[in-house]
Amino acid sequence: MKTRALRNAISIALFATLYGQAGTAPAREAGAARAAPGAGQGATPRQAPPVDEEAGQGAGAPRAAAAAATPPADATTELETVTVTGTRIRGGTTPSPVIAIDSEQIRQEGFSTLGEVVRSLPQNFNGGQNPGVVSATGSGNLYNQNAGGGSSLNLRGIGPDATLTLLNGRRLAYGGLMQAVDISAIPLAAVERIDIVADGASAIYGSDAVAGVGNVVLKRDMDGGVVSARYGRAGDGGLDTREYDATAGAVWNDGGLIATYRHTRIDPINASERSYTQHMARPFVLYPGGTTRSALLSGYQWLGESTELRLDALRTERDQVYYQTGRGLYYDQRSDGTAWFLAPSLEIGLAHGWTLQAGAVRARDQNTGRAWLVANGGGTPRLVSGVCRCNESRSYEISAEGPLLQLGAGEARLAVGAGYRSNELVNRNLLAGTQVHSEDSSRFAYAETSVPLIGASTAVPFARRLELTAAARMEDYDSFGRVTTPKLGLIYAPGRDVTLKASWGRSFKAPTLNERYGNLVAYLVPPSMIGGTGYGADDAVLLSWGSNPRLGPERATTRSVSLAFHPERVPGLQADLTWFDIDYRERVVQPFAAFGQVLSDPAVAEFLDFAPTREQQAALLATYAGGFYNWTGKPYDPDTVVVIGRGEYVNARTQRIRGLDLSGSYGRALGRGRLDLRGSASWLDSAQQNTPGQAAFDLAGTIFYPARVRGRLGLVWTAAGFTVSSFANHTGGVSYPALRQDLASFNTFDLALQYATARRGGTGPGFEIGLSVQNLFDRAPPLYRPLAATDVPYDSTNASAIGRYASITVSAHW
């Protein structure tokens, strides 16, 4: 390792492995439940600390009780481990708010993919990289696009690259145009739960976790199999969906394995199939069609009495087709992607409750996009764009965790680790036969501790629990040098009914390789296409877009305070209120927030030159020679260019994101069944300032950015194999500053019904049938008048053109 701090961290980890060698490592014991690993934490052969009954489940909809598979009677299993995403302390409690959704809750609410799950969360923005986002000129900033067809987690609407996505605590490869992570590629049948920490977590997990982190935890033990088929269709036409899943698992005395395969084919929604887009030139696709094939394998094997080997592997293939129209022409656009993930790890139980873990990850995501230009009058299609974005990541890590000393209120614990991580991007221009290779790597070391000062056994008035947490992470980048990110936390409970959490931390994020070394593109467009009025018929605007190798790193300070109410006298009731504040500095942005508003948005005036010379145009075109697109329908003439706009990535001076989250649940037995009420809502205020001399302008509450208010509220009733759920969803209205238009709110209702039969005699198969209806009352998206005729007349980041969508699922399990 290159740094002294890293060598010291490794020394600490090795010391932890040797700590108390006079003792004997605890062995596996029979009869205890197996637990799924959390973020960076696998199963451990030791007794876990007791579950914290006061901390609750964190903000967001609480977990429902999941049905656990039963291992064979003679199976030897380890003692139960309690793990929490957001901390590396085993059995610990994170001071940050946590949204936890398990597989049973996902089933009850009728979701079919993890993309649907995260899009239902009020804390998440449905812009970014998502299939429902229309990748057209009016789709807002470039973060709002659908280059690869996947679904990304985008907390607070800061950007999909600012939310870290993990699979069993391990990083997946970046993908798509903005190097986001496709969470919908993970087959839902293999998922035990998804935990989302809606708070800065760079001190725990490193770069990218500015807005938070999402960790998908896989099922660990399954003895049997499930096959299912699903068909769905939008009521107004399009989005015919055919999905097939097969999952099988086995458990033996000292190991287990689960494998799943999913195949999905979706037909597109065309603009001609919706009344409010029939005026648009054809063909035009509102929701792309395509095929997805995903396979996942996860298993573990005990090697002796205190060592466990684990392997997680994932492979996804995805293709999609969509069309966009221009003046007298259209673009036939196709993308093909292949992604895979391989993560082996080894965990060793040591003396005195310490564990040592070593793991590696290798992941790759290759997305190839091609576009053919087709004249509406016919003619031979002409290939005008072909790019392969090939991302690859590697990481290696060794860590140790265990108790430091016994205090009166409990154990003080320590987690330490060190490792290496690299990201690589190869940007291939398939037309020119050229490629740009870029890479960035870092070495890191971290430490985290939790210190309980007051516990239930200590007699202190108005203080049943007081715990302090602290974490620090040092990363040494090849590109930006050394940086340290700390995080401090406090957990306080005055009694049994209330728990207060508070956190403060700093985050660091390196610009993505695509932002620094991606494509350079220039467009020649008529002023009317980008919001210009009063220009001549022959006037044109020359716009540059693309990467900027001079970008600096991004930094943020994050704060959160959450209050959980879980009264002892009212079992099943829980409510959480969270305040958050993110001071994001030097955030990498594109100055032109929306293509269709370039000439009408006062916030971008400093990036426009209204008197361009021939020399300036020649210099720009020389730089962007490999990616020049003329959308005027006329030959390029430098004398007709009236404006040059420079839209390359820049470091904005600041973004400020703050708001409130409120969630709650209550469940009780009702007759022979159970009734659960769940709800969550989020209020968001965010603003941005591009340059020191510019006034800050609103992001939240404006078109193509998150609405200020989102909420979801519903009921779930279960009894004798029946499950019925109904949820209402609210997305507040947004404004369109360019034309002073206000869009209405978007309110929908979802309904899901399931009936399951048990396995006959414990040997025959069991069956389940489910019906799900999203947007039950067929609410159309709120409309506005776009400046460009090629833009869809609705905000596809805050509303959907799907309309009523019904699906039926049939499955058998044994």
Side-chain angles (χ1 to χ4, degrees), residues 201-217:
S202 289
I204 308 296
Y205 300 111
S207 184
D208 306 349
V210 178
V213 59
N215 180 37
V216 180
V217 180

Side-chain angles (χ1 to χ4, degrees), residues 340-409:
W340 55 265
F341 163 91
L342 186 65
S345 63
L346 187 69
E347 185 162 336
I348 304 172
L350 304 173
H352 301 286
W354 278 81
T355 58
L356 175 70
Q357 186 179 75
V361 177
R362 186 174 181 185
R364 179 179 295 173
D365 188 296
Q366 297 186 125
N367 180 263
T368 301
R370 295 180 175 88
W372 287 264
L373 180 62
V374 184
N376 285 343
T380 303
R382 179 166 58 92
L383 183 65
V384 295
S385 175
V387 177
C388 177
R389 300 177 182 89
C390 307
N391 292 275
E392 186 167 339
S393 64
R394 295 181 178 89
S395 64
Y396 312 93
E397 182 175 334
I398 182 171
S399 61
E401 192 275 345
L404 282 178
L405 68 159
Q406 182 69 40
L407 303 177

Side-chain angles (χ1 to χ4, degrees), residues 293-560:
R293 298 166 294 277
S294 293
L296 184 144
L297 183 71
S298 180
Y300 67 94
Q301 176 67 50
W302 283 95
L303 308 175
E305 290 298 313
S306 60
T307 302
E308 184 192 71
L309 175 66
R310 185 179 180 97
L311 177 68
D312 297 319
L314 171 69
R315 180 180 174 87
T316 301
E317 296 177 354
R318 185 191 297 276
D319 61 76
Q320 68 169 2
V321 180
Y322 55 101
Y323 302 97
Q324 294 179 349
T325 55
R327 294 188 172 188
L329 51 85
Y330 69 89
Y331 289 91
D332 179 346
Q333 303 186 83
R334 300 166 186 262
S335 70
D336 302 283
T338 300
W340 55 265
F341 163 91
L342 186 65
S345 63
L346 187 69
E347 185 162 336
I348 304 172
L350 304 173
H352 301 286
W354 278 81
T355 58
L356 175 70
Q357 186 179 75
V361 177
R362 186 174 181 185
R364 179 179 295 173
D365 188 296
Q366 297 186 125
N367 180 263
T368 301
R370 295 180 175 88
W372 287 264
L373 180 62
V374 184
N376 285 343
T380 303
R382 179 166 58 92
L383 183 65
V384 295
S385 175
V387 177
C388 177
R389 300 177 182 89
C390 307
N391 292 275
E392 186 167 339
S393 64
R394 295 181 178 89
S395 64
Y396 312 93
E397 182 175 334
I398 182 171
S399 61
E401 192 275 345
L404 282 178
L405 68 159
Q406 182 69 40
L407 303 177
E411 286 183 337
R413 303 185 69 87
L414 173 69
V416 294
Y420 169 85
R421 179 167 64 92
S422 70
N423 294 314
E424 178 182 358
L425 172 64
V426 177
N427 226 317
R428 293 194 181 99
N429 188 320
L430 304 181
L431 272 66
T434 60
Q435 70 178 34
V436 176
H437 176 272
S438 55
E439 185 175 0
D440 198 7
S441 62
S442 66
R443 291 140 297 279
F444 61 85
Y446 62 83
E448 181 185 3
T449 185
S450 66
V451 181
L453 301 179
I454 299 175
S457 60
T458 57
V460 178
F462 305 107
R464 180 177 174 81
R465 179 184 183 187
L466 178 62
E467 181 176 340
L468 302 181
T469 66
R473 185 182 182 98
M474 184 280 296
E475 295 202 55
D476 187 8
Y477 285 84
D478 290 344
S479 54
F480 298 107
R482 188 181 305 174
V483 62
T484 300
T485 51
K487 183 169 184 176
L488 301 176
L490 179 146
I491 303 168
Y492 168 67
R496 294 181 178 271
D497 297 340
V498 176
T499 301
L500 175 70
K501 298 182 181 181
S503 73
W504 171 92
R506 288 181 175 169
S507 294
F508 173 90
K509 181 181 173 298
T512 68
L513 294 175
N514 188 68
E515 291 168 343
R516 284 183 279 170
Y517 308 110
N519 292 334
L520 299 173
V521 183
Y523 299 98
L524 188 70
V525 299
S528 59
M529 181 179 285
I530 57 174
T533 57
Y535 290 90
D538 295 327
D539 290 342
V541 177
L542 187 60
L543 297 177
S544 63
W545 298 75
S547 59
N548 181 357
R550 299 178 298 278
L551 291 172
E554 307 170 358
R555 290 180 168 84
T557 301
T558 60
R559 306 173 184 85
S560 71

Side-chain angles (χ1 to χ4, degrees), residues 36-85:
Q41 303 173 2
T44 178
R46 65 168 173 82
Q47 176 64 51
V51 178
D52 176 20
E53 298 177 352
E54 297 172 350
Q57 300 293 343
R63 303 178 197 171
T70 303
D74 60 345
T76 301
T77 63
E78 72 275 14
L79 291 177
E80 183 179 7
T81 300
V82 180
T83 57
V84 179
T85 300

